[in-house]
Amino acid sequence: MDRQTVGSANRGRLRVEVRNDGESAVVTPVGELDHHTADLLREPLENCLDQGRSRLVVDCSRLEFCDSTGLNVLLGARLKAEAAGGGVHLAGMLPVVARVFEITGAEAVFTVHESVESALAD
């Protein structure tokens, strides 16, 4: 498995880990996803797509906060992944993050899983 971490210019508010698992890329944002940190997630997602990995599993189990900017990053990745024949699967969302998806209705356009394992098995 390949692993890489993108560091944060915002004193560790968001760290992103990426690993490949079969045909999928597992992207794990750790911390707070907002206006100030959104590019720290956007870049690894786009890199995965540029490398031909169109099936993205976003492990949200360590994502503590997500605002509308973060949601837009995920929606943008979803559109690009689907255009490439893949998709974005969200896994392990904490209640505070799941609530953002609920309120905005975005949960209806993503495939949501309880765990990374179930997302990879799907």
Side-chain angles (χ1 to χ4, degrees):
M1 281 187 251
D2 299 334
R3 286 187 181 254
Q4 58 182 329
T5 300
V6 177
S8 172
N10 290 295
R11 302 195 194 289
R13 287 188 47 216
L14 185 73
R15 193 175 76 247
V16 180
E17 300 168 358
V18 180
R19 68 180 170 90
N20 294 323
D21 189 306
E23 297 296 314
S24 300
V26 179
V27 180
T28 306
V30 180
E32 299 177 4
L33 177 57
D34 59 24
H35 172 74
H36 300 290
T37 61
D39 284 338
L40 296 171
L41 179 60
R42 181 181 291 111
E43 291 172 11
L45 290 171
E46 288 180 357
N47 288 342
C48 290
L49 293 166
D50 290 344
Q51 294 168 7
R53 298 228 175 239
S54 61
R55 187 174 194 284
L56 306 175
V57 174
V58 181
D59 177 1
C60 300
S61 65
R62 294 165 54 196
L63 186 60
E64 299 165 1
F65 176 81
C66 180
D67 72 0
S68 61
T69 308
L71 179 59
N72 283 329
V73 167
L74 293 168
L75 288 167
R78 177 189 151 267
L79 291 175
K80 290 177 182 177
E82 287 181 356
V88 174
H89 298 255
L90 305 178
M93 279 197 280
L94 298 175
V96 67
V97 174
R99 183 75 176 131
V100 173
F101 285 80
E102 241 177 72
I103 291 169
T104 61
E107 68 181 1
V109 299
F110 287 98
T111 304
V112 180
H113 303 270
E114 288 191 27
S115 67
V116 171
E117 293 75 20
S118 64
L120 291 171
D122 184 20

